[in-house]
Amino acid sequence: MTGSDPVHNDPGNSDSANGDPGKSETFFADLTGVGTRVRTALLTPTLALVTALLIGGVVIAVTDVDTLRLWGDDPGEAFSETIGNVTGAYEALFVGAFGSGQALSETLFAATPLILAGLAVAMGFQAGLFNIGVEGQMLIGGMTALYVGITVDLPGPVLIPLVLMGAIIGGGVWAGFAGWLRANSGAHEVITTIMLNFIAGFLVQWLLKTSMFQDPGRTDPISKPLDPAARLGRIFGGDYRVTIGLLIALAAAGFMGWLMYRTTIGFQFRTVGANADAAKYAGMNVTVLTVGVMATSGALAGLAGANQLMALPPHQAQVGFSGGIGFDAIALALVGRSRPAGVIWAGLLFGALTAGGREMQGAERIPVDLVEVIQGLIIVFIAAPALIKAIWRVKADADDQSERITTGWST
């Protein structure tokens, strides 16, 4: 890197360079959990979840019009019905998520792409980069996986790794381009990845109308079905939909943990995120490392996109087949405090909310939209850690200051 290196000379790094963590660093660390102690990293999302469930209970109560009318005539009965409605809704939520083998399978099935996409966002956080383009990387990774899956004729044990490799390359190249722009021109990855999301969406829409991908006989943008040999098998068979994609997601989390905390390249990724000036002074190639961490993040997102086609019937790509999971992944990485184990638990939480929400709607006639309200509240409270600490009167952990390693997301 030269003296004109936009990362090296970014004024947003000045606080770290002086050894005095700036406000942006503090906010980034509080928000993402990067560099904070495990106790602090767990405390905020746990309290945010509890607070969200409590407020969600209030929402359930105030949206029950019949019970609200009863408050004027018989407050005692109204209180009893309100408590019954709230507990019944949350009981249905729990039963729908964990109440049976089928429910647990649905939770794990919903959690699989969330974990992979969440790891992609968390990887960027660990290196001080805000990869908001996971949605687009999922689309590109999924399409490259689909291309391999419909053009290569090989047995499943050989074809599936090839399809996954296609997803890794597609997602990695798409995100690596944003990293290259960041390292060489200073273009902020938040802006470039958002724009790349739009480009990916329109590119997929066009590709699905080409003879290469479009299902013969269809006029709408829908792809040919993926070769059965390229589809992910179900772990338990039968009606249990959880596939070996879950094992791939867990392996990806283990890989990320090993890469970031047990290897030299992972140390260099985190060092660049902590202080690009110090990384360059130590002889690290900041440009290569910035591109590398974005490409790795995109590769994980590509796997999430491939899972949407390889595990989810009818195994055909449609416009927006990523299902918005790339955006949910940002919240998931925040809840998981950017740690592989945290992302797994956050993925299971969001998967449980998704699976349980359907049961809650069917059994208690509570709109499934309430689940999205709870998810939104969790995000709001995690994004405002000071509010959570004030509500629950949590004292700041002074030791965390010395462990913060990020340069801040304003850089």
Side-chain angles (χ1 to χ4, degrees):
M1 300 290 289
T2 66
S4 60
D5 171 19
V7 175
H8 175 81
N9 290 328
D10 196 313
N13 289 339
S14 58
D15 289 337
S16 293
N18 295 331
D20 179 19
K23 292 182 179 179
S24 61
E25 295 178 41
T26 303
F27 178 69
F28 188 89
D30 284 344
L31 182 66
T32 65
V34 174
T36 56
R37 289 182 178 278
V38 173
R39 172 186 172 275
T40 305
L42 292 175
L43 190 60
T44 300
T46 301
L47 293 179
L49 173 62
V50 173
T51 307
L53 289 175
L54 291 174
I55 295 181
V58 174
V59 173
I60 293 173
V62 299
T63 54
D64 186 347
V65 178
D66 294 335
T67 305
L68 284 179
R69 291 171 178 162
L70 192 59
W71 278 95
D73 301 327
D74 189 347
E77 180 64 20
F79 177 78
S80 177
E81 285 201 18
T82 298
I83 295 298
N85 290 338
V86 173
T87 55
Y90 284 145
E91 182 180 355
L93 185 70
F94 182 83
V95 170
F98 306 108
S100 65
Q102 186 71 40
L104 187 58
S105 172
E106 290 299 309
T107 295
L108 296 175
F109 182 76
T112 299
L114 289 167
I115 292 173
L116 287 167
L119 290 172
V121 178
M123 172 69 77
F125 283 160
Q126 289 281 357
L129 297 170
F130 199 103
N131 180 13
I132 207 170
V134 170
E135 184 77 4
Q137 293 146 26
M138 285 181 65
L139 291 174
I140 298 302
M143 289 303 291
T144 51
L146 178 65
Y147 176 77
V148 176
I150 62 178
T151 58
V152 178
D153 184 15
L154 289 171
V158 180
L159 183 57
I160 288 177
L162 285 179
V163 172
L164 294 174
M165 185 57 64
I168 290 172
I169 293 173
V173 170
W174 197 255
F177 178 62
W180 181 82
L181 290 175
R182 174 74 166 108
N184 287 282
S185 69
H188 203 292
E189 73 278 1
V190 170
I191 304 300
T192 56
T193 53
I194 288 176
M195 294 299 104
L196 287 172
N197 281 343
F198 288 107
I199 295 173
F202 286 116
L203 180 60
V204 168
Q205 187 172 354
W206 173 74
L207 286 173
L208 290 177
K209 292 182 179 179
T210 64
S211 58
M212 180 183 298
F213 288 100
Q214 190 173 32
D215 193 10
R218 300 290 295 264
T219 57
D220 52 337
I222 186 168
S223 76
K224 303 169 185 173
L226 197 64
D227 188 324
R231 299 173 186 175
L232 298 177
R234 298 185 177 185
I235 297 177
F236 303 108
D239 294 333
Y240 298 105
R241 294 202 300 166
V242 59
T243 70
I244 61 173
L246 176 65
L247 304 181
I248 295 172
L250 296 178
F255 169 77
M256 178 182 166
W258 170 80
L259 177 70
M260 298 302 288
Y261 299 107
R262 293 289 185 271
T263 67
T264 301
I265 190 69
F267 171 77
Q268 292 177 337
F269 283 163
R270 291 184 291 122
T271 301
V272 170
N275 191 319
D277 293 324
K280 181 192 174 189
Y281 189 75
M284 300 177 190
N285 190 326
V286 177
T287 300
V288 171
L289 291 171
T290 302
V291 174
V293 74
M294 282 298 291
T296 307
S297 174
L300 292 166
L303 286 175
N307 182 82
Q308 290 298 92
L309 300 175
M310 299 173 72
L312 184 64
H315 306 285
Q316 292 174 284
Q318 304 178 38
V319 175
F321 66 85
S322 53
I325 288 175
F327 297 115
D328 294 340
I330 299 171
L332 195 140
L334 295 177
V335 174
R337 314 309 284 166
S338 308
R339 300 166 189 269
V343 170
I344 291 174
W345 285 113
L348 293 174
L349 170 64
F350 278 50
L353 289 173
T354 301
R358 292 192 286 267
E359 175 68 18
M360 188 172 66
Q361 184 179 33
E364 298 294 327
R365 291 181 296 176
I366 302 293
V368 73
D369 295 339
L370 178 66
V371 170
E372 296 184 8
V373 171
I374 293 174
Q375 289 179 347
L377 288 170
I378 293 172
I379 297 166
V380 166
F381 289 125
I382 287 180
L387 176 61
I388 282 293
K389 292 175 181 176
I391 291 174
W392 294 94
R393 298 182 180 277
V394 177
K395 294 182 179 178
D397 190 343
D399 292 340
D400 274 343
Q401 189 71 19
S402 61
E403 290 197 355
R404 286 175 182 142
I405 61 173
T406 60
T407 59
W409 70 355
S410 63
T411 61

